[in-house]
Amino acid sequence: MVKKSRFRSTAIGLTLLWITVFVIVPYLFVALFSFLEHDISRIIRWTFTFENYQAIFSPIFLEVCKNSFILAFGTTVITLLVGYPFAYILTRIDEKIRRILLLLMIIPFWTSSLIRTYALIILFKANGIINTFLLYMGWIDQPLNILYTETSVFIGLVYTLLPFMILPLYSSIQKLDWTLIEVAQDLGAPSRHVFLHVVLPLTLPGIAAGSIMVFLPALGLFYIPDLLGGARSMLIGNFIKNQFLTTGNWPLGSAASMILTALMGLFLYGYFLSSRKAHTSMEGVR
Amino acid sequence: MEKLPIVSLRGVTKRFGDVVAVNALDIDIFQGEFLTLLGPSGCGKTTVLRLIAGFENLDEGEICMAGSRMNSIPPNKRNVNTVFQSYALFPHMTIFDNIAFGLRMKKYDKNNIDREVMEALDIVKLAGLEKRMPYQLSGGQQQRVAMARAIVNKPQVLLLDEPLSALDYRLRQEMEIELKRIHRQLGITFVFVTHDQEEAISMSDRIAVMNVGKIEQVGTPIEIYEEPQNMFVARFVGEINVFEGKVLRIDNGSAIVSIHGQSFEVQNRKNISEGQDVRVLLRPEDIIVFRDEAESITDPALAGRIENVIYKGKTVDLIITIDAGETIFVTQFFNEDQEDVVFREGQRVHINWPFGWEVVM
């Protein structure tokens, strides 16, 4: 018993240490920097200020925020519309096919998503695979302009984030009691109403989880808009990256990070509340 | 009661892969009756219910309701409702919304919905709980909500899939009486599925005993219990003792059967003939026990010894080994006039039964 508990405290202690050193401490620095002044030569000046937060609410940054939210929201909607039917079918089909489909979905994770994004460039560019194929078949006269458009950014985000939508949806739909669907049919509900009044409300926790898992990363994934959107679309992620790596304005980048984190915290809290409510109503119902 | 079949199944067959769940089954279900499908688990009784509800497509045969063929009609277009074994209340809806679901699908207006739901809640005695959520109710209450949710639609047929099996003994007894009351009150046809023969006997107008996808016997509870048509029904419905015998001769309406060398007179209801091997079946409560120490007996009787005495409160169960072989199970009711009748383990006894109480097959 003593040995076991020592193992446990070592394991937990190591994890805690890791998180403290590599997550919490750097994060506290970010929080600290966001309240300090920017200095061109020394990066920061040790003077307390709210200037960075004021700067964030400039029209330029708000524009960036708006674009990011539209893109992240659009990505969430598309992944949801594509992911829901797929997850639903996954729960209904034969065990063997299901395993293969799940595997196919997970395999891309074995490759760095940065490399997969470069792969998309090869597909999309003017003399890339798609255009070459379409020209060869004679379906188009001149190469389609896909790369460095909003469309390619959308495709890239949807492609990268789709599994994060499907997996929570799948687990939520799988937990759905199939008898409830039969009850609804038995009570005269056509398929549309069965879905609207029974399946959808009961899988809402999965929809919420999936949406958060897609929406939040979509705000922060800077390299996909960078690589696929060119310089055109500035998003929160790119904005932060630029402050740190290009303009060297760490305090402003830190403030933007804090805002993004606060937003994520808010979403997660909302999800926590809704899932707790859903959980209570499931309890005690056989 | 006018005997109109409201549901009739003709040659209904359902296969799941290689397994034949329901095998060329025929049955008529009549308007207003309480019919029970009784059988061991896996006998296909729930599948029959699901076929009537429309959750399963049949492979062969035909299901008719009120004269029209229902084979390819989806469940939401059939005028039947089901009470599921697991109740399956919608966890995200209040009790009111659960019960109102069917009426809303039928596009009733709000006033009608309010009135009908309240009436259904009254029938199942849950008035006042309409604003609760399902998780706030006990198992018995959830069961009643499931009933209300089905009957509020005034279906032609109410299908009940082992609705009482998850309740404890006392609640089950209470719900048996409630179910009968609701059945009488509404006049709806009930098709009830259970593996519990006591439940079946105490509630049903008719019982269909099922085994491996077929109906073994259909009849009133008394017919099923007193006159089982085959060994399966005899053994499944209640305890039964079986004696092997040979017909010695036939006398008008009766037959003389030899069991372990003793000649017993039995009723000849099945046209048995001389020399035939027969089985004589006796319910535990139909057997009379004579204690050798107290009573002498001249009529034909089988000698044996009490192996076990099980006191049950209002009855006493005896396990008796007949000297010639069988071990039998006997139930004796306490007799107020003979308080000194005491059975002990090891006691020598003789047993026989009143003429005509046996079943011969």
Side-chain angles (χ1 to χ4, degrees):
Chain A
M1 280 311 283
V2 177
K3 211 176 170 186
K4 201 173 176 182
S5 81
R6 189 177 297 159
F7 170 74
R8 198 167 62 179
S9 49
T10 314
I12 294 174
L14 274 175
T15 315
L16 264 180
L17 190 73
W18 181 273
I19 291 174
T20 310
V21 171
F22 294 108
V23 180
I24 297 178
V25 170
Y27 210 79
L28 288 175
F29 275 115
V30 172
L32 178 68
F33 284 2
S34 73
F35 292 106
L36 297 177
E37 276 180 16
H38 172 55
D39 185 290
I40 295 168
S41 56
R42 290 178 302 163
I43 297 174
I44 50 164
R45 192 182 303 139
W46 291 90
T47 323
F48 181 83
T49 179
F50 280 115
E51 223 169 70
N52 301 310
Y53 287 96
Q54 282 162 0
I56 273 187
F57 292 102
S58 67
I60 300 167
F61 186 74
L62 288 180
E63 183 67 24
V64 168
C65 276
K66 200 188 83 189
N67 286 342
S68 302
F69 274 91
I70 291 172
L71 201 63
F73 184 75
T75 306
T76 309
V77 171
I78 295 171
T79 50
L80 182 61
L81 291 180
V82 175
Y84 201 102
F86 183 78
Y88 194 85
I89 291 165
L90 264 187
T91 64
R92 308 305 316 160
I93 51 166
D94 187 67
E95 177 73 36
K96 265 185 232 153
I97 306 170
R98 173 163 59 219
R99 270 198 221 129
I100 294 170
L101 286 177
L102 278 170
L103 186 72
L104 284 176
M105 209 171 63
I106 289 163
I107 283 177
F109 282 106
W110 298 348
T111 311
S112 150
S113 80
L114 194 60
I115 292 173
R116 281 185 285 135
T117 308
Y118 276 109
L120 284 181
I121 295 178
I122 296 173
L123 278 175
F124 292 159
K125 63 183 177 181
N127 57 349
I129 294 173
I130 291 175
N131 277 323
T132 311
F133 176 75
L134 292 177
L135 284 169
Y136 175 79
M137 295 303 283
W139 290 337
I140 51 171
D141 297 329
Q142 46 188 339
L144 293 175
N145 191 17
I146 314 174
L147 194 60
Y148 305 133
T149 62
E150 196 129 275
T151 314
S152 72
V153 177
F154 260 126
I155 295 175
L157 284 172
V158 169
Y159 163 70
T160 309
L161 297 169
L162 189 59
F164 295 98
M165 179 61 89
I166 291 174
L167 290 174
L169 280 176
Y170 170 69
S171 104
S172 176
I173 297 171
Q174 201 178 30
K175 268 184 250 154
L176 183 69
D177 180 0
W178 196 252
T179 319
L180 294 174
I181 291 167
E182 289 189 341
V183 171
Q185 290 174 336
D186 191 68
L187 293 170
S191 313
R192 179 169 44 97
H193 285 292
V194 174
F195 180 75
L196 225 57
H197 297 298
V198 178
V199 179
L200 196 62
L202 290 174
T203 52
L204 219 47
I207 295 174
S211 299
I212 287 178
M213 301 264 282
V214 170
F215 188 80
L216 298 182
L219 282 179
L221 273 179
F222 61 86
Y223 57 87
I224 291 178
D226 254 9
L227 294 175
L228 299 177
R232 274 174 222 223
S233 46
M234 169 80 91
L235 303 177
I236 299 182
N238 309 72
F239 180 85
I240 295 170
K241 189 206 88 177
N242 287 346
Q243 298 317 310
F244 280 98
L245 300 182
T246 316
T247 56
N249 191 345
W250 287 29
L252 188 59
S254 299
S257 296
M258 291 313 289
I259 298 272
L260 191 59
T261 311
L263 273 173
M264 291 183 182
L266 220 64
F267 277 118
L268 286 176
Y269 183 65
Y271 171 67
F272 170 73
L273 286 185
S274 76
S275 74
R276 198 176 54 178
K277 195 178 151 216
H279 186 71
T280 343
S281 66
M282 295 297 183
E283 254 172 33
V285 178
R286 305 171 4 87
Chain B
M1 196 190 341
E2 175 65 18
K3 289 268 177 177
L4 283 168
I6 184 131
V7 180
S8 68
L9 279 66
R10 290 279 165 270
V12 166
T13 299
K14 175 69 190 172
R15 297 184 199 89
F16 294 108
D18 297 335
V19 183
V20 183
V22 179
N23 191 0
L25 183 132
D26 298 313
I27 192 169
D28 281 330
I29 302 166
F30 296 103
Q31 175 67 51
E33 76 171 333
F34 194 128
L35 176 88
T36 298
L37 300 173
L38 173 67
S41 55
C43 72
K45 56 193 192 298
T46 295
T47 307
V48 172
L49 209 67
R50 291 176 60 80
L51 285 164
I52 298 174
F55 297 133
E56 309 284 354
N57 292 318
L58 60 178
D59 292 319
E60 280 164 39
E62 170 173 81
I63 295 180
C64 290
M65 272 179 221
S68 41
R69 191 180 148 97
M70 302 301 282
N71 285 26
S72 53
I73 307 289
N76 55 323
K77 298 209 173 107
R78 296 192 185 193
N79 198 5
V80 299
N81 286 112
T82 310
V83 178
F84 290 83
Q85 185 174 14
S86 58
Y87 320 151
L89 303 182
F90 300 122
H92 58 300
M93 295 183 197
T94 62
I95 301 311
F96 185 95
D97 290 339
N98 261 281
I99 299 173
F101 191 90
L103 300 178
R104 287 190 177 135
M105 289 302 134
K106 292 199 192 87
K107 306 219 159 53
Y108 276 43
D109 69 45
K110 197 185 164 304
N111 290 337
N112 278 334
I113 291 177
D114 283 354
R115 202 187 56 243
E116 299 281 337
V117 170
M118 289 307 164
E119 200 181 301
L121 275 166
D122 261 348
I123 291 172
V124 299
K125 296 183 177 160
L126 281 183
L129 295 186
E130 62 272 12
K131 292 203 181 72
R132 301 269 187 96
M133 295 300 283
Y135 69 91
Q136 294 172 308
L137 302 189
S138 69
Q141 288 172 325
Q142 289 184 22
Q143 166 72 77
R144 284 161 190 263
V145 175
M147 276 294 295
R149 183 175 60 179
I151 61 174
V152 78
N153 302 290
K154 306 213 161 52
Q156 282 178 320
V157 182
L158 185 70
L159 307 171
L160 301 109
D161 184 9
E162 307 220 17
L164 308 183
S165 63
L167 301 176
D168 63 45
Y169 180 75
R170 183 172 282 278
L171 215 48
R172 197 159 66 220
Q173 300 236 303
E174 212 176 284
M175 277 309 290
E176 279 180 22
I177 296 165
E178 284 289 284
L179 272 179
K180 278 306 279 181
R181 179 182 61 78
I182 292 168
H183 177 242
R184 272 195 304 271
Q185 193 174 339
L186 298 177
I188 296 174
T189 311
F190 276 37
V191 180
F192 185 89
V193 159
T194 184
H195 62 266
D196 183 328
Q197 39 108 0
E198 281 179 37
E199 221 169 76
I201 287 173
S202 62
M203 289 198 286
S204 320
D205 295 324
R206 284 197 308 155
I207 297 173
V209 183
M210 284 189 66
N211 187 30
V212 288
K214 280 189 167 292
I215 290 178
E216 298 280 349
Q217 185 176 353
V218 185
T220 64
I222 296 173
E223 285 166 356
I224 296 284
Y225 191 78
E226 304 284 348
E227 291 153 43
Q229 280 167 7
N230 56 46
M231 284 308 291
F232 177 81
V233 175
R235 283 190 202 279
F236 190 75
V237 182
E239 295 279 343
I240 196 102
N241 298 300
V242 182
F243 295 103
E244 305 284 344
K246 199 177 193 69
V247 179
L248 296 179
R249 62 175 192 278
I250 305 290
D251 266 357
N252 293 331
S254 62
I256 307 297
V257 174
S258 158
I259 300 169
H260 300 316
Q262 298 273 345
S263 300
F264 291 90
E265 189 179 11
V266 299
Q267 268 189 354
N268 183 8
R269 272 178 288 209
K270 280 201 174 166
N271 286 322
I272 47 178
S273 50
E274 219 172 285
Q276 193 183 335
D277 287 325
V278 291
R279 280 187 269 209
V280 175
L281 276 53
L282 285 157
R283 295 287 178 197
E285 63 275 16
D286 292 344
I287 292 173
I288 308 171
V289 180
F290 302 93
R291 294 167 301 149
D292 291 4
E293 64 197 44
E295 301 134 299
S296 56
I297 179 165
T298 49
D299 293 331
L302 298 170
R305 177 176 173 277
I306 297 180
E307 292 295 330
N308 225 327
V309 179
I310 304 148
Y311 176 71
K312 282 280 182 71
K314 51 192 175 198
T315 60
V316 60
D317 292 346
L318 306 174
I319 294 168
I320 296 172
T321 309
I322 302 298
D323 292 346
E326 292 98 339
T327 297
I328 62 166
F329 189 78
V330 180
T331 299
Q332 296 284 294
F333 290 88
F334 287 110
N335 189 338
E336 294 287 331
D337 304 331
Q338 295 176 302
E339 279 177 34
D340 57 331
V341 175
V342 181
F343 296 105
R344 286 188 324 274
E345 284 168 25
Q347 223 168 21
R348 295 290 310 169
V349 293
H350 277 75
I351 63 116
N352 63 15
W353 62 91
F355 169 72
W357 288 25
E358 74 291 321
V359 171
V360 180
M361 61 177 65

